Amino acid sequence: MSEHEHSEHIVSPGTYLVIILTLLALTGITVAAAYVNLGRFNIVVALAIATVKATLVVLIFMHAKYVPQRTKLVIIAGIFWLALLLFLTLSDYASRVDYRGVRFPMSQNISHILNQHG
Amino acid sequence: MHRTGSLYGQFKTLEQQKDTATLGMWIFLVTEVMFFGGIMLAYTINRHTYFHAFAVGSNTLSLPLGGFNTVVLLASSFTMAMAVWSAQSGKKQLISIFLTLTILLGFVFFGVKYVEYAQKFHHHLVPGKNFDISYCVDNPSKCEDISAADLERERGEIEEAKAADPNLNAHAQLYYSAYFGMTGLHALHMVIGAGLLLWLLKGSLAGQFTAEWNNPVDIVGLYWHFVDIVWIYLFPLLYLIDRHK
Amino acid sequence: MRTQPTGPEPQMPEKHYLNATYGIRSWLLTTDHKRIALLYLASVTLFFFIGGFFAMMIRLHLLTPNGYLLSADTYNRMFTMHGVAMIFFFLIPSIPAVMGNFLIPLMIGAKDLAFPKINLLSWYVYVVGGMFTLWSMVNGGLDTGWTFYTPLSTVYSNSAVAPAVVGVFITGFSSILTGLNFLVTIHTMRAPGMTWFRLPLFVWAHYATSIVMILGTPVVAITLGLAGMERLFGLGFFNPAMGGDPILFQHLFWFYSHPAVYIMILPAMGVISELIPTFARKKLFGYHFVAAASLAIAVIGFLVWTHHMFVTGQSTYAAVAFSFLTFLVAIPSAVKTFNWTATLFGGSISFDTPMLYAFGFLGLFLVGGLTGLFLGSLGTDINIHDTYFVVAHFHYIMVGGAVMGYLGGLHFWWPKITGRMYPEWLARIAAFILFIGFNFTFFPQFILGIMGMPRRYHVYPPEFQIYNVMSTAGASILAVGYLLPMVYLTWAAFYGKVAGENPWPATGLEWKTQSPPLTENFEVTPVVTWEAYDFHNRPDLGLDVPGGHGPRIVAPAHGDD
């Protein structure tokens, strides 16, 4: 009793070509951006571009745009669980007070947090 | 359970078989996401804690080689997608051609990786007793593959980093633990992928894949694209830390 | 009181999966899910004995407060290897790999699982992992605790950590492959008419379990992989001397190991969901809620792992958040417990052995679950963390819960697996012995914990001795309770009374085929037109369904045993 896939959508070579060129361009942008001093945002930009690239690969090369709902749920669940692992663990680290001499943004005592602006 | 042609005995129809195998591969890829996710977490914590060491470590990697490898893998994803397209379109000969191209690109990647790893061994940058982040800076004659200008830059970086982090050498080992751990795990997955591609090539040369039945090409393709996605993240995370200095 | 419907004496079928082919190769190279289930049964039973041996050593040693029997180092090895054997090699595979493998295709009307060869591979992976771990056990042992905390495990321990870590790493893949197989099978291989909400709750439970296996096991794999790398090659993620972080190990480890406990209990809950309707002859109360609760446990179970780390220097914020989530995960378990109990109300209850185990489960899981709340509360946890209170809590759940579910299921489906019934009265006596032995072993440990006896210590203050002696005495009774089924179930497999297709009778699809089943399970693919546990609309079961007012079904007349 498999869920019925609509007749197979074949992605054209033309589309693949556009995607690969986009990916290469984005790679170039990533490298170029690394040479610009954006401070704390270098990593944000790098990961954002990587995520765009990954999304293109998943949607087009891996046909995720055309798969049934169930498969989309599997993909989202995987990404969500990775986010859970990272986010919840980092939230423990971030909330510890001065752990191992490393200061996370929140690792100050309560009065500082109450007095700070955001 | 016996097989009739492409249809395995536990299935009723080829459609069900294809559906099942594809779902199976996607779920397997989710396990891979969590597998790499664990080491990504370790990387994240350590990079935050030892930012200076990670920056120094990252700058010892060859950006041209890393960038080249990124291009190679992206191209291999393209050729893999084209192999799937060829199978879906019933163009049997093209399948073999694109599979071969994908395999060749994979081997180019391995070749570059080998060069990089060999470099690290020679430069005493493998975690362990002999690890020394300042080895090349202190012994320029032993590291002739690095230009004098680059060595100067590195010396400056190391001095600046040591001022911020007196234990730089120990913490730089953590960077290299992440480097070898992540790229090693990735390379292992590529080796498995290359093996799967060779198996596919064998089937393709025997004419097994038709427009009606090409699911194995499809699902190996999914695996290969996933391995590419891992590298898409590895490249900026390992090669592009603090490059603007 | 066996409830055999009246009729002619059943005969063993001529052809079935056990005699379809002969020879060791036909077993070691089988792709039949039922044979693979039996391969697993043999291996998990072996590891149960191994874990039991270490348990015996622990309890013998703890008879005296001064550490008379074993040295501290040896004692560390005993409790470590007890934990490793029982958790990774018995509890986690037990119900899924034995009963899930055997029953899921039958319950959904399929010929086999989606990936029969991967199923066989999962067993071999388990065996290879087991061999590495056994090697570790006999070549220096393991003394780090089953939790492998760093840097003891990665740097300072003098025991055989590396092979053990490799062994557990490998066996994790067995779990992943099993979970993958189940998820895909349940999605794509159901027979016509077997909609999601007609599935037995045993299947729902294994679906939820498989989700946990898929999402959690890879994380412990990479964690142990990194720990192994640290031990063998000096990588430094978890070693403070190199700037590494033991807390990172704990996070990564518990991210899996907490959901792992749900891998252990969800399948047992699935068994209970089959036993109670069958032996109360009544539809399960709140089917949809029980199915949803299984999924809820699987999901919420991933959000609570830091409650193992309350005393590691967490901030109040993090601790409160995880304590709250820990309370939250208790709710779906409570829903299930309520629903099982509500199923009994107005039912026609008989006390066959599987039902005795189900009742045991209900009481013991309740105690275990409620004591988890004391551990999840921050104020109390500070005092009882790392004491015998924790040990008692998890044994009530894992032994009182999961193992009771395992034994109940084994008894319930033994006639299906072997075609023969076990001896009912002996089985009931064994169940009572087990229940009594279990409580004598572990209830004193709650008291010890509250009094302050730490866990994993090889000596203790003399005032604790009376409870330790009680616990050891109980353990010896418990051992008898375990040995008896091993003996009589084996005997029954060859000489028990022939069971027939549906001896209980029960409503699942697995009972609509011969016992033991054919290799392909069904002669003709069934078409399902009935709801789960629908005793009232199943005339084929031969039950006496009263007309008129009242839903009570009369339990069939007692059989002649």
Side-chain angles (χ1 to χ4, degrees):
Chain A
M1 237 175 72
S2 56
E3 283 168 29
H4 193 66
E5 241 177 284
H6 45 264
S7 61
E8 189 160 1
H9 185 290
I10 300 184
V11 178
S12 74
T15 311
Y16 287 141
L17 199 56
V18 169
I19 296 298
I20 181 64
L21 292 173
T22 313
L23 289 170
L24 292 171
L26 286 171
T27 307
I29 296 177
T30 310
V31 174
Y35 280 99
V36 180
N37 188 352
L38 300 165
R40 292 160 64 184
F41 289 98
N42 269 111
I43 181 67
V44 176
V45 167
L47 284 177
I49 299 177
T51 304
V52 171
K53 287 160 80 177
T55 309
L56 287 173
V57 172
V58 169
L59 285 179
I60 311 296
F61 281 169
M62 295 170 85
H63 308 148
K65 213 168 145 204
Y66 311 105
V67 298
Q69 278 294 78
R70 167 183 77 194
T71 312
K72 289 190 173 116
L73 188 60
V74 169
I75 299 171
I76 293 178
I79 299 170
F80 179 73
W81 245 260
L82 174 63
L84 265 183
L85 170 65
L86 294 172
F87 183 69
L88 287 179
T89 308
L90 289 172
S91 73
D92 176 46
Y93 274 94
S95 60
R96 282 174 186 249
V97 180
D98 206 12
Y99 178 63
R100 300 189 302 153
V102 174
R103 310 226 101 202
F104 279 86
M106 272 169 71
S107 63
Q108 292 155 60
N109 63 34
I110 299 175
S111 56
H112 275 163
I113 290 171
L114 290 177
N115 290 336
Q116 264 181 336
H117 309 291
Chain B
M1 288 294 129
H2 54 272
R3 242 178 102 157
T4 7
S6 317
L7 183 66
Y8 281 87
Q10 69 269 26
F11 297 113
K12 291 251 164 8
T13 62
L14 275 179
E15 176 75 30
Q16 185 193 27
Q17 181 169 322
K18 170 171 177 277
D19 206 28
T20 303
T22 308
L23 180 62
M25 178 51 82
W26 277 108
I27 293 178
F28 175 70
L29 292 180
V30 165
T31 70
E32 294 278 52
V33 166
M34 296 310 290
F35 192 57
F36 277 95
I39 199 171
M40 294 277 182
L41 177 66
Y43 166 93
T44 306
I45 300 286
N46 283 289
R47 172 175 167 157
H48 182 100
T49 314
Y50 303 119
F51 185 77
H52 301 280
F54 269 58
V56 166
S58 174
N59 282 310
T60 64
L61 296 186
S62 160
L63 191 47
L65 286 181
F68 176 72
N69 255 359
T70 308
V71 169
V72 163
L73 264 193
L74 289 173
S76 77
S77 254
F78 173 72
T79 54
M80 186 71 225
M82 287 305 297
V84 174
W85 173 83
S86 310
Q88 288 171 331
S89 315
K91 301 186 192 311
K92 286 192 184 185
Q93 272 166 337
L94 275 185
I95 309 175
S96 304
I97 292 176
F98 279 117
L99 283 177
T100 309
L101 282 174
T102 313
I103 295 169
L104 285 175
L105 286 167
F107 274 102
V108 169
F109 183 93
F110 290 139
V112 173
K113 243 321 45 4
Y114 174 78
V115 167
E116 284 185 288
Y117 274 23
Q119 219 180 45
K120 300 286 168 298
F121 273 86
H122 286 134
H123 295 176
H124 286 228
L125 292 175
V126 176
K129 279 195 304 274
N130 290 329
F131 183 88
D132 183 2
I133 188 74
S134 312
Y135 181 77
C136 281
V137 162
D138 293 341
N139 304 292
S141 55
K142 298 267 176 57
C143 302
E144 278 163 9
D145 47 347
I146 308 184
S147 73
D150 281 334
L151 276 178
E152 262 317 297
R153 185 181 47 83
E154 215 176 294
R155 186 192 310 271
E157 276 169 15
I158 292 178
E159 267 169 31
E160 204 182 316
K162 272 210 173 117
D165 179 3
N167 246 332
L168 185 73
N169 203 42
H171 301 159
Q173 278 199 73
L174 291 176
Y175 171 80
Y176 282 96
S177 298
Y179 172 77
F180 282 109
M182 288 157 92
T183 59
L185 202 57
H186 175 262
L188 174 64
H189 281 78
M190 275 198 63
V191 167
I192 295 171
L196 290 171
L197 285 169
L198 283 167
W199 171 73
L200 272 188
L201 184 59
K202 180 163 162 273
S204 165
L205 290 170
Q208 271 174 22
F209 305 122
T210 63
E212 197 192 35
W213 176 251
N214 53 56
N215 192 234
V217 186
D218 201 14
I219 63 180
V220 172
L222 289 178
Y223 177 83
W224 190 259
H225 291 306
F226 172 78
V227 175
D228 187 26
I229 289 176
V230 173
W231 184 261
I232 285 176
Y233 280 96
L234 252 46
F235 174 61
L237 289 177
L238 292 170
Y239 287 80
L240 299 181
I241 307 178
D242 238 25
R243 281 273 171 182
H244 51 80
K245 289 231 164 65
Chain C
M1 293 163 316
R2 184 149 51 91
T3 49
Q4 180 90 345
T6 53
E9 279 294 311
Q11 302 288 330
M12 275 294 265
E14 247 182 64
K15 267 195 71 125
H16 48 77
Y17 78 99
L18 289 165
N19 64 17
T21 52
Y22 286 104
I24 189 109
R25 278 181 56 135
S26 76
W27 279 89
L28 292 180
L29 294 177
T30 183
T31 52
D32 179 0
H33 64 101
K34 301 181 288 299
R35 287 192 171 198
I36 294 174
L38 293 181
L39 290 174
Y40 266 111
L41 178 62
S43 352
V44 306
T45 307
L46 171 69
F47 274 98
F48 184 72
F49 270 113
I50 293 173
F53 165 76
F54 290 120
M56 180 181 80
M57 297 306 297
I58 294 173
R59 290 288 4 135
L60 282 176
H61 173 85
L62 289 177
L63 277 172
T64 58
N66 53 7
Y68 177 72
L69 189 65
L70 305 168
S71 70
D73 273 339
T74 309
Y75 182 73
N76 291 349
R77 283 164 171 73
M78 295 298 112
F79 67 69
T80 301
M81 296 191 288
H82 167 70
V84 168
M86 285 305 203
I87 292 177
F88 293 114
F89 295 95
F90 173 65
L91 278 166
I92 286 175
S94 59
I95 299 176
V98 177
M99 278 168 249
N101 264 330
F102 195 96
L103 294 166
I104 289 179
L106 285 164
M107 286 179 165
I108 66 176
K111 285 189 192 165
D112 205 313
L113 289 174
F115 307 119
K117 287 189 227 159
I118 289 187
N119 197 13
L120 182 67
L121 176 66
S122 82
W123 182 72
Y124 276 104
V125 168
Y126 171 93
V127 167
V128 170
M131 294 207 289
F132 270 96
T133 309
L134 282 173
W135 171 264
S136 160
M137 286 178 178
V138 300
N139 275 291
L142 187 65
D143 70 349
T144 60
W146 79 274
T147 45
F148 290 108
Y149 275 12
T150 62
L152 173 63
S153 62
T154 53
V155 180
Y156 299 106
S157 170
N158 290 320
S159 62
V161 173
V165 157
V166 169
V168 175
F169 174 88
I170 293 175
T171 302
F173 289 101
S174 171
S175 218
I176 290 173
L177 292 174
T178 300
L180 192 145
N181 226 336
F182 286 175
L183 281 177
V184 177
T185 303
I186 297 171
H187 270 285
T188 67
M189 311 275 289
R190 285 169 284 129
M194 179 55 85
T195 60
W196 281 94
F197 292 120
R198 285 180 179 164
L199 284 170
L201 286 161
F202 179 89
V203 178
W204 274 102
H206 280 77
Y207 186 84
T209 307
S210 301
I211 293 177
V212 182
M213 285 171 161
I214 289 296
L215 292 168
T217 318
V219 178
V220 79
I222 189 69
T223 309
L224 292 178
L226 289 175
M229 294 279 115
E230 190 162 305
R231 178 97 176 155
L232 292 169
F233 304 120
L235 255 57
F237 285 127
F238 309 128
N239 181 6
M242 284 175 64
D245 185 4
I247 299 290
L248 178 61
F249 178 85
Q250 290 187 30
H251 273 295
L252 283 169
F253 179 82
W254 286 113
F255 182 85
Y256 164 75
S257 298
H258 186 83
V261 314
Y262 299 112
I263 296 178
M264 297 185 249
I265 197 63
L266 277 169
M269 291 174 158
V271 172
I272 301 306
S273 295
E274 297 301 313
L275 298 183
I276 292 193
T278 303
F279 294 101
R281 274 135 215 117
K282 187 162 166 273
K283 202 169 198 147
L284 187 79
F285 182 86
Y287 172 101
H288 292 81
F289 273 85
V290 176
S294 302
L295 295 176
I297 291 172
V299 173
I300 305 177
F302 271 98
L303 306 177
V304 303
W305 81 86
T306 320
H307 66 220
H308 296 269
M309 300 165 62
F310 279 153
V311 297
T312 61
Q314 281 190 317
S315 75
T316 319
Y317 306 110
V320 165
F322 283 103
S323 175
F324 171 75
L325 288 166
T326 304
F327 273 73
L328 208 62
V329 80
I331 295 176
S333 294
V335 165
K336 286 189 167 195
T337 309
F338 178 81
N339 284 16
W340 291 317
T341 313
T343 307
L344 296 171
F345 180 75
S348 189
I349 300 172
S350 62
F351 294 91
D352 303 65
T353 306
M355 190 57 157
L356 292 179
Y357 281 108
F359 276 121
F361 178 100
L362 281 180
L364 300 176
F365 174 73
L366 189 66
V367 171
L370 290 176
T371 52
L373 294 173
F374 295 121
L375 290 160
S377 311
L378 298 173
T380 44
D381 187 64
I382 303 292
N383 293 286
I384 51 181
H385 174 78
D386 257 357
T387 66
Y388 264 82
F389 193 90
V390 184
V391 176
H393 156 74
F394 64 67
H395 280 95
Y396 262 79
I397 310 243
M398 294 205 278
V399 182
V403 178
M404 289 259 172
Y406 177 72
L407 288 173
L410 217 50
H411 284 78
F412 182 58
W413 282 296
W414 203 247
K416 181 56 60 184
I417 295 173
T418 62
R420 293 177 185 278
M421 286 298 285
Y422 56 85
E424 181 64 38
W425 277 104
L426 183 54
R428 285 189 202 164
I429 291 169
F432 270 107
I433 293 175
L434 203 151
F435 185 81
I436 291 167
F438 171 85
N439 281 297
F440 258 105
T441 310
F442 293 108
F443 196 82
Q445 294 185 6
F446 278 126
I447 301 175
L448 282 170
I450 296 189
M451 285 169 65
M453 178 173 171
R455 63 186 287 203
R456 295 178 170 172
Y457 275 39
H458 79 300
V459 293
Y460 55 82
E463 57 261 33
F464 294 155
Q465 185 174 21
I466 175 68
Y467 298 104
N468 274 293
V469 171
M470 215 186 292
S471 182
T472 303
S476 60
I477 302 172
L478 185 62
V480 173
Y482 284 137
L483 285 170
L484 280 173
M486 293 189 193
V487 171
Y488 67 68
L489 284 176
T490 313
W491 175 89
F494 297 99
Y495 304 111
K497 191 163 163 171
V498 176
E501 196 177 273
N502 193 354
W504 300 115
T507 55
L509 253 188
E510 75 270 26
W511 300 105
K512 283 181 88 61
T513 188
Q514 62 181 56
S515 306
L518 290 165
T519 302
E520 348 36 287
N521 296 337
F522 300 94
E523 275 167 353
V524 176
T525 304
V527 177
V528 178
T529 56
W530 53 89
E531 302 303 314
Y533 316 113
D534 198 1
F535 286 96
H536 285 271
N537 296 315
R538 292 283 302 272
D540 57 308
L541 296 181
L543 289 171
D544 185 4
V545 180
H549 51 264
R552 268 185 87 125
I553 294 180
V554 176
H558 297 175
D560 55 356
D561 93 323

